[in-house]
């Protein structure tokens, strides 16, 4: 169940971030063409790219948490030789990410509700949609952390049973 859900979550985040990145490359290309070749710069491209970068960064950050590939964490865990200490560090890291995700969810939800009435100047979108990236990525980080902890404790149980 855990593996299937992780695979589904990975595939979903990968698809969304890849599509968003491809769209951002096309929009950036259009921005360059319209500005330097057509001498008629587009006013919506810059705003779209700013909002897209926010969503892309937060979702990609959640994905990195799910893959346990955050540079500071791998740097710390690579220097530790004891498996027991690595497990303790992993639990501490995952709990820290859970606390961070809860703050993102709570703060992001408040920001969404406060800014939903504000309209962006060029795209005419409610700004709440931009801030929605915070709680969405917070929930994603929370899900990944719960999966990571479940995997960690189930593998520890297997490890204990194998040694008995």
């Amino acid at each position: 169940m855990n593996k299937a859900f992780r695979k589904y979550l990975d595939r979903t985040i990968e698809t969304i971030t890849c599509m968003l990145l491809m769209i951002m490359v096309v929009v950036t290309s259009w921005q360059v063409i319209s500005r330097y070749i057509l001498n008629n710069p587009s006013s919506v491209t810059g705003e779209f790219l700013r909002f897209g970068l926010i969503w892309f960064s937060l979702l990609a950050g959640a994905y990195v948490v799910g893959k346990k590939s955050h540079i500071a964490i791998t740097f710390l865990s690579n220097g530790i030789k004891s498996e027991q200490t690595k497990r303790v560090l992993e639990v501490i890291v995952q709990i820290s990410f859970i606390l961070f995700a809860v703050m993102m969810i709570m703060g992001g939800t408040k920001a969404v509700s406060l800014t939903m009435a504000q309209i962006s100047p060029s795209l005419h979108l409610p700004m709440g949609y931009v801030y929605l990236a915070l709680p969405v990525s917070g929930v994603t980080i929370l899900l990944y952390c719960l999966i990571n902890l479940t995997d960690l404790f189930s593998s520890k149980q297997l490890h204990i049973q194998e040694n008995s």
Side-chain angles (χ1 to χ4, degrees):
M1 166 87 176
N2 240 4
K3 285 184 181 184
F5 184 69
R6 179 189 291 275
K7 186 175 180 180
Y8 173 77
L9 191 57
D10 285 346
R11 202 50 84 186
T12 302
I13 299 299
E14 289 167 359
T15 302
I16 292 170
T17 53
C18 286
M19 294 287 292
L20 188 54
L21 186 60
M22 288 188 313
I23 292 168
M24 288 172 60
V25 167
V26 170
V27 170
T28 302
S29 300
W30 172 249
Q31 185 179 33
V32 170
I33 291 168
S34 68
R35 176 170 295 172
Y36 294 109
I37 296 175
L38 302 176
N39 289 324
N40 187 14
S42 175
S43 62
V44 298
T45 54
E47 192 171 280
F48 174 81
L49 290 170
R50 261 190 317 277
F51 297 165
L53 185 61
I54 291 167
W55 273 90
F56 178 79
S57 300
L58 289 171
L59 288 175
Y63 183 75
V64 167
V65 168
K67 293 292 185 180
K68 296 190 255 184
S69 299
H70 191 280
I71 190 165
I73 293 154
T74 55
F75 180 74
L76 281 174
S77 65
N78 288 343
I80 298 172
K81 297 200 185 327
S82 164
E83 281 299 316
Q84 182 70 18
T85 308
K86 279 186 180 183
R87 285 185 183 274
V88 169
L89 176 64
E90 183 63 31
V91 169
I92 291 169
V93 165
Q94 294 303 318
I95 289 172
S96 299
F97 276 130
I98 287 172
L99 294 173
F100 180 69
V102 168
M103 286 188 283
M104 286 178 71
I105 294 166
M106 290 171 38
T109 303
K110 187 172 183 173
V112 168
S113 66
L114 289 173
T115 58
M116 199 52 91
Q118 297 175 4
I119 305 298
S120 69
S122 295
L123 292 174
H124 305 291
L125 290 174
M127 289 300 294
Y129 291 150
V130 177
Y131 287 97
L132 189 60
L134 284 166
V136 167
S137 61
V139 167
T140 307
I141 289 171
L142 185 62
L143 289 172
Y144 272 127
C145 288
L146 294 175
I147 293 169
N148 290 342
L149 284 172
T150 304
D151 289 348
L152 182 69
F153 288 122
S154 66
S155 70
K156 182 178 181 181
Q157 292 299 325
L158 291 174
H159 186 67
I160 291 170
Q161 290 173 353
E162 289 172 0
N163 290 338
S164 300

